[in-house]
Amino acid sequence: MAIIDNFIPPGDRRAALLLYGLIFAISFNGYDSGIMTVILADKQFIKYYNVDSTRSGTIAVIPWASQGIAQLFVGGTLASLMGRLWLLRAAILLISLGVVVQCVPNTYAVLLLGRLMTGMGTGCTFIATSLYVAECSPAKLRGSFVGTVTQFGYQLGTLIAFWTGYGMSFHKAPFQIAWRVSNLIQIPIGLTFVAISFWYPESPRWLLEKYPDQPQRALKQLAYIRDGSPEDENIRQEFHEMVASYEFRRKFEPGFRGIFKTPALRKRLAYGLYATALQQFGGIAALTMYAALIYESLGWNKPNQALAINGVQAVLQLFVVLVNTFTVDRFGRRTLLITGFAIQALALLIISCLTTSFPDNKNKAAAVVEVAMLFIVGLTYCWSNGPVSVTFASEIFPAHVREKAYSISLMGQTLCLIALTQPWPKFNKQVGGKSYWLLFSLNVVAMISVIFILPETKGVSLERMDKLFGEIDYVDAREAEIGTEAKESTAYSTTMSEGGALRSTKKEMNHTIQVEEEIKGAKV
């Protein structure tokens, strides 16, 4: 029972079940990325599009370029306008359309168009999912929920993709059927979640920002997610912090201008860019995207052998994500990142030494150790910088700029993806085994940087993050403005009417500081 309680905490069972359901949305992203690992090793695909090392890098990187567009201009804006759930639905439908474009008989240019569409969709999916989970998770378990949902979902998608691709790789006729069917299989996964999503409540924090004159909507959804009543003390306290923070932040400018207008928010944006860059700074995408090709280069080149190794690794990575679930809210974000980069650096040091000593890959024992070290790098990533970086970036921004600031922060991830993944096939071909020294060095740099740069956010509520970054606490500042009496008024006492309907009541404020357009009480 203790293990189950870690995943479905007794006081937050409904939140856990709702948030874990989002694994299906993120798995759609994982499948799209994972299946390209298989397709890029498909001989028929290579022949059909005349794929060389340059085209291979372009096909892999193109979606991340459009993800960058989504992160800068689209995802954050639509998340603010449409809400987290509607953006998620629209993004999944766009990915599905992009997959269809890729799979119909086409040219290399049309293939890239389809990849651009899926990249735009996966970028928006990731933004919407991360924001929703961060905003709906209880503070003490936020790292666990965000990390488990984003990374476990992604790994589940890659697992399905690898074994789907492995199974289809035996089908050589009709010509081109294997990679096309493998790609199309992801569409039902996405459409299944779109259907499920209509049973989901919208984020209460987004509702309060979007409809401040109808606070009962946010309170009602918060109580539902927390599996309680608006009368419960923990729900009243959390809602009070939401309202107090909102009231204080009304004097600030929202959106993109609000992010860049103040030094404090520019500082947070720098932290966000840095955190998401850490996710890909160690070169995991290059190792994952070209895993099958890498295993073949290390001598595991019998028919389907590399794909089978990739599939086994995907199974192990799926379950090792749960290490994050048990540890991130206990030991903190910094500890997991430092430990993870240290392990990855050591594994890459061993790989670098072996590939430099045996460049011809004729030493079978060395090849076995190299594959084992690649496994260790991938497994470590799944509980350290993979989930933790996203968790940190999704929780550090105030609500009035959260969508857009988080979207821009993801550019750190995208830039590292493009910088390391696009040139990797050509770089690896020219330099050979010595190329792994670069990845070793990057992991050492990342580990040292976390020690000196990253603050700890474990257990801090979204409304109390401000002090960590040198600002005043928005909740405390609001309470200081309006005094004890105003604090009680914004906390929303709830009483039962004769007909059984809950009413939100609010005392009249009597304070020297005039507060404009106070949130009006309304029926829940």
Side-chain angles (χ1 to χ4, degrees), residues 451-471:
I451 294 173
F452 291 101
I453 295 176
L454 204 72
E456 182 56 70
T457 56
K458 178 185 72 172
V460 182
S461 73
L462 294 179
E463 286 72 32
R464 300 277 188 177
M465 286 284 172
D466 317 296
K467 286 178 109 176
L468 286 178
F469 300 94
E471 294 187 74

Side-chain angles (χ1 to χ4, degrees), residues 4-48:
I4 295 176
D5 288 346
N6 274 281
F7 293 100
I8 308 178
D12 295 289
R13 294 186 187 278
R14 177 172 288 167
L17 293 173
L18 286 170
L19 297 179
Y20 288 149
L22 289 164
I23 285 172
F24 289 103
I26 290 294
S27 68
F28 199 38
N29 287 20
Y31 189 99
D32 185 73
S33 178
I35 202 62
M36 287 312 298
T37 301
V38 179
I39 289 175
L40 284 172
D42 187 294
K43 298 297 187 291
Q44 292 187 359
F45 178 84
I46 292 171
K47 183 177 180 180
Y48 188 80

